[in-house]
Amino acid sequence: MDVMRPLINEQNFDGTSDDEQEQELLPVQKHHQLDDQEGISNVVDFFLVITQLGFCSVYIVFLAENVKQNMPDPHNLPIVAGWKKYPLFFGTAVFAFEGIGVVLPLENQMKESKRFPQALNIGMGIVTALYVTLATLGYMCFHDDIKGSITLNLPQDVWLYQSVKILYSFGIFVTYSIQFYVPAEIIIPVITSRFHPKWKQIYEFVIRSFLVTITCAGAILIPRLDIVISFVGAVSSSTLALILPPLVEILTFSKEHYSIWMVLKNVSIVFTGVVGFLLGTYVTVEEIIYPTPKAITSTPHSPSLNLNSTCFISGLK
């Protein structure tokens, strides 16, 4: 090492070490490397943005072409329907918002119950947009041949649509018990409390069987899905959603300072509910007793279904 020391001292004649010299050179090298990497990154970002925006444009063109190909010209559709269609529409629309029974429990379970109106408005807005969109597209495709459920208009010779029907039917079958829970919890305790506790379970089973039989009998007597939906919506859903809530609010706050605008709002809602209740019930009962010939002759294998099924067949191709 003593022999080599003069050579090392000669190399470091300026008094700087190897580490110090490396630190002096690295910033210049790193600067050039960063410039190169930044330039490549900008190029990659540019083409990445162009590519993804191009994908989005392709999607929009694809959707537009399929909609124009599969949907008929809306100018050929009637501007308005007959007056008897509006009570049926009222019952169907009110029935669609069938979650009135879970509004108060949902509000009670919220961490910030004061924000419930905001959550309710957002949820109802999303649901309304989905319903209006699906209803509009379905009517544009099938016209007056559209049925109570759009799944009934789906082609029967395509496995994809058959699987949709099966899954939808399974979902309805599973949720039957959820819908059945509320009336069972209201009716069963009132009746079983009058009997000896020894026979309570037997009577509960009998009552549940009787209620299920009633629902099946109603479905057999009125085998038209659209009429059943309109009838239930006009009779019960309108009462629960439009008539009783404003009356309860008026009775609750009648002794407090109550603005005239609040009274007018509640009175108008009740009036709308009563009119819809009366007209909807009248039209649906008339349709049940005197069904239109079109409703009788229409079958799942009608030619109109085969013609309109091209809306879906062409979409698959």
Side-chain angles (χ1 to χ4, degrees):
M1 291 298 296
D2 294 338
V3 177
M4 298 295 296
R5 189 174 299 276
L7 295 176
I8 297 175
N9 293 334
E10 184 177 356
Q11 291 178 356
N12 298 335
F13 62 92
D14 56 351
T16 59
S17 62
D18 293 339
D19 294 337
E20 293 176 349
Q21 290 180 355
E22 183 178 0
Q23 293 294 331
E24 292 178 357
L25 295 176
L26 276 180
V28 178
Q29 296 175 354
K30 289 182 178 181
H31 178 71
H32 291 291
Q33 292 177 358
L34 289 176
D35 289 341
D36 295 338
Q37 292 178 358
E38 185 177 359
I40 296 175
S41 177
N42 292 334
V43 174
V44 171
D45 291 341
F46 173 77
F47 284 100
L48 184 61
V49 169
I50 296 298
T51 302
Q52 296 305 121
L53 292 179
F55 289 159
C56 295
S57 300
V58 171
Y59 292 162
I60 295 176
V61 174
F62 176 81
L63 292 175
E65 291 295 328
N66 279 271
V67 169
K68 289 190 295 183
Q69 179 181 0
N70 299 331
M71 292 299 174
D73 187 4
H75 295 88
N76 298 328
L77 300 177
I79 300 177
V80 293
W83 71 270
K84 285 189 175 181
K85 295 291 184 179
Y86 289 96
L88 296 176
F89 162 75
F90 174 82
T92 304
V94 177
F95 178 87
F97 300 99
E98 55 186 342
I100 187 66
V102 299
V103 171
L104 291 179
L106 181 62
E107 182 180 6
N108 294 332
Q109 294 297 326
M110 287 188 64
K111 184 177 180 180
E112 299 179 8
S113 59
K114 294 182 179 179
R115 302 183 62 183
F116 176 75
Q118 179 181 1
L120 180 63
N121 293 332
I122 295 175
M124 293 293 288
I126 295 174
V127 172
T128 303
L130 291 176
Y131 282 167
V132 171
T133 302
L134 292 177
T136 302
L137 296 178
Y139 183 75
M140 290 179 63
C141 184
F142 297 108
H143 295 185
D144 289 336
D145 295 323
I146 193 169
K147 300 183 183 301
S149 174
I150 198 172
T151 55
L152 300 176
N153 289 98
L154 296 178
Q156 299 184 5
D157 55 350
V158 181
W159 67 269
L160 178 62
Y161 301 126
Q162 291 299 315
S163 62
V164 170
K165 293 181 180 181
I166 293 174
L167 293 176
Y168 194 78
S169 300
F170 177 76
I172 295 296
F173 175 77
V174 172
T175 56
Y176 177 88
S177 58
I178 299 177
Q179 300 293 339
F180 187 82
Y181 173 80
V182 176
E185 286 298 313
I186 295 175
I187 296 175
I188 291 177
V190 176
I191 299 178
T192 56
S193 61
R194 301 180 181 181
F195 298 97
H196 194 274
K198 179 181 179 180
W199 305 98
K200 180 178 180 180
Q201 188 172 2
I202 297 177
Y203 281 108
E204 180 177 351
F205 177 77
V206 172
I207 296 170
R208 289 181 181 273
S209 301
F210 178 72
L211 293 177
V212 173
T213 304
I214 289 179
T215 59
C216 294
I220 294 173
L221 293 175
I222 312 175
R224 290 183 55 186
L225 181 62
D226 55 343
I227 297 301
V228 175
I229 290 176
S230 298
F231 181 75
V232 175
V235 174
S236 59
S237 297
S238 62
T239 304
L240 292 175
L242 299 176
I243 299 176
L244 292 181
L247 294 178
V248 171
E249 185 178 15
I250 292 175
L251 295 176
T252 302
F253 298 98
S254 60
K255 296 181 180 180
E256 301 180 4
H257 179 68
Y258 210 60
S259 63
I260 186 63
W261 297 110
M262 191 69 67
V263 175
L264 293 177
K265 180 201 73 173
N266 289 329
V267 170
S268 62
I269 294 175
V270 172
F271 177 78
T272 303
V274 171
V275 172
F277 172 84
L278 296 176
L279 292 180
T281 304
Y282 170 77
V283 173
T284 52
V285 171
E286 183 184 22
E287 187 68 23
I288 293 171
I289 300 176
Y290 306 105
T292 57
K294 180 180 178 180
I296 297 177
T297 58
S298 61
T299 59
H301 300 282
S302 61
S304 60
L305 175 62
N306 295 330
L307 293 175
N308 290 325
S309 63
T310 56
C311 295
F312 299 97
I313 300 298
S314 59
L316 286 179
K317 293 179 181 180

